[in-house]
């Protein structure tokens, strides 16, 4: 569950006021809006990567307003994937588990499971550079989900993909709430993506959420 | 203008500098003989200067990275009060004549209460080996900071943010993600600091002196031999410095590229 209540922030001339959203557990929410309207800023605030001046954020029933990103226990997929290029694909997928010093067997099993689901098993021992856009996004998705976070935030994960790859990714993302038992907030410009993936669609306009959930 | 003329024009303009460098090194090589070169290097004073230079440059490079990496990161990735002032202060060693830095170090350790206290109660710096390292460090660290700042500015902060969301503390994200991604920049900064230290002369002469078998480094050896009309000896040491400098640059570039898929 994602609960954002009356979020506000100011950065120079840019302002957001009274941003409130509620995404029930296990639902796939879409946040839409024009370029530069503040969608990424909201996502970063939820992830704990950006400070805000007012408001409250509750994730999965826990108030994380003042928590560090690590304490929020969420997955985050940025627009460019931001893979760790000094590591292999396997190390990328295992990162969240390695950092928590999980047993090697458990890490190996989880990486194999994710790689199989995301169809990147053949890439596991390759360094995470020179991969295609689709491969990058699938690995970034797997890395974000490795520790079974209850919340997943995605910032335009399909925007740089060609049509065929985007179709395959959409099919993959459709399985997300069921496969990963996760509540999703996905930013996009694309109405088609919103129509096909979103259980709930939010629209951000001139610093405010002006459209309440279309369907719950 | 035809395309080849355009490129010829650029090559002539830029290439003139390459020709000048090659001509200078070539002139040194033609001036000296192998006997003069090796006999100069075998002299005890020169061997001491070689050892002290290699050690002091390496210590200076490590110290420069020690301050350059955190300061470069702070300047590139954070906003803080007085950042412009700090940035300007860090440019002082780059814009000032090195001689003035040496003079300032001398005044700091010789004419101020804190400097005098430091030398009396902790350890002696002036005209000792620590003065050589401090004189080299005062200039080299500024170059290391600049290089690391550019490195961190050119590296996306996004991977660090992702690492934080995956469970890393700030310091874990830095050591596991940010620093490995900045590895080539670290190598470049270390090399620059090392090479800059190798050529440092003015501050060392003023602050550490040029006492043979004590604070004499290769740059001061060249100066001492030149002053005593031993031109072949000065050129022999110069050629050795050129060889060492080029070897370090090649080594660092190879190391810096390793792991990036290029080497």
């Amino acid at each position: 569950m994602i609960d954002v209540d009356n979020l506000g922030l100011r950065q120079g001339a840019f302002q957001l006021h009274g941003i409130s959203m509620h995404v029930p557990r296990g639902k796939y929410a879409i946040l839409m809006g024009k370029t530069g309207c503040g969608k990424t800023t909201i996502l970063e605030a939820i992830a704990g990567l950006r400070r805000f001046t007012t408001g409250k954020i509750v994730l999965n029933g826990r108030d994380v307003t003042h928590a560090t990103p690590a304490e929020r226990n969420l997955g985050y997929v940025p627009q460019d994937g931001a893979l760790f290029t000094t590591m292999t694909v396997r190390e990328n997928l295992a990162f969240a588990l390695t950092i928590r010093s999980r047993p090697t067997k458990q890490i190996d099993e989880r990486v194999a499971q994710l790689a199989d689901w995301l169809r990147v098993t053949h890439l596991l021992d390759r360094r995470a550079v020179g991969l295609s856009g689709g491969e990058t996004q699938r690995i970034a998705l797997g890395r974000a989900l490795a520790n079974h976070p209850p919340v997943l935030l995605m910032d335009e994960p399909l925007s740089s993909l060609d049509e065929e790859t985007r179709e395959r990714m959409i099919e993959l993302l459709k399985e997300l709430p069921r496969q990963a038992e996760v509540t999703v907030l996905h930013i996009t410009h694309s109405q088609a993506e919103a129509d096909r993936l979103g259980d709930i669609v939010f629209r951000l306009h001139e610093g405010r959420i002006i459209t309440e959930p279309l369907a719950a | 203008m035809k395309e080849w003329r355009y490129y010829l024009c650029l090559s002539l303009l830029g290439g003139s500098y390459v020709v000048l460098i090659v001509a200078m090194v070539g002139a040194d090589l033609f001036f000296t003989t192998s006997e003069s070169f090796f006999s100069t290097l075998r002299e005890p004073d020169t061997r001491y200067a070689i050892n002290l230079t290699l050690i002091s440059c390496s210590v200076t490079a490590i110290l420069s990275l020690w301050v350059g990496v955190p300061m470069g990161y702070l300047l590139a990735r954070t906003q803080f009060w007085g950042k412009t002032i700090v940035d300007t202060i860090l440019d002082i060693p780059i814009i000032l004549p090195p001689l003035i830095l040496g003079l300032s170090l001398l005044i700091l350790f010789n004419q101020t209460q804190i400097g005098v206290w430091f030398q009396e109660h902790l350890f002696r710096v002036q005209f000792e080996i620590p003065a050589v390292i401090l004189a080299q460090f005062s200039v080299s660290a500024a170059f290391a900071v600049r290089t690391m700042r550019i490195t961190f500015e050119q590296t996306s902060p996004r991977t660090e943010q992702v690492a934080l969301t995956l469970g890393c503390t700030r310091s874990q994200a830095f050591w596991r993600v940010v620093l490995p991604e900045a590895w080539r920049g670290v190598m470049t900064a270390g090399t620059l600091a090392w090479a800059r230290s190798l050529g440092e002369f003015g501050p060392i002469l003023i602050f550490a002196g040029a006492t043979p078998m004590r604070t004499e480094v290769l740059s001061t050896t060249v100066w001492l031999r030149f002053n005593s009309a031993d031109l072949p000896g000065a050129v022999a040491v110069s050629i050795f410095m050129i060889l060492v400098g080029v070897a370090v640059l090649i080594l660092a570039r190879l190391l810096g590229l390793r792991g990036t898929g290029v080497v």
Side-chain angles (χ1 to χ4, degrees), chain A residues 40 44 47 49 69-70 74 76 78 80 82-87 95-96 98-100 127 143-144, chain B residues 156 158-170 172-173 176-177 180-182 259-261:
Chain A
T40 297
E44 288 175 350
L49 299 170
L74 49 77
Y76 172 52
D80 60 356
L83 297 184
F84 305 139
T85 54
T86 57
M87 302 179 195
F95 190 84
T98 312
I99 207 80
R100 290 172 172 82
R127 251 166 43 97
R143 180 181 61 181
Chain B
S156 168
R158 200 57 85 183
T159 48
E160 183 181 11
Q161 293 176 339
V162 170
L164 294 173
T165 64
L166 290 171
C168 282
T169 60
R170 280 269 170 203
Q172 282 175 323
R176 286 177 179 250
V177 174
E181 285 183 352
T260 62

Side-chain angles (χ1 to χ4, degrees), chain A residues 24 53 60 92 112 114 134 136 138 148 185-186 190-191 194 199 208:
Chain A
T53 43
N60 227 30
N92 268 271
L114 284 167
T136 300
R138 277 181 283 156
H148 302 284
L185 181 59
H186 170 149
S190 161
Q191 185 63 53
D199 298 319
R208 289 179 182 277

Side-chain angles (χ1 to χ4, degrees), chain A residues 198-210:
Chain A
D199 298 319
I200 307 164
V201 178
F202 298 102
R203 292 178 200 278
L204 183 64
H205 183 66
E206 292 180 357
R208 289 179 182 277
I209 296 279
I210 58 163

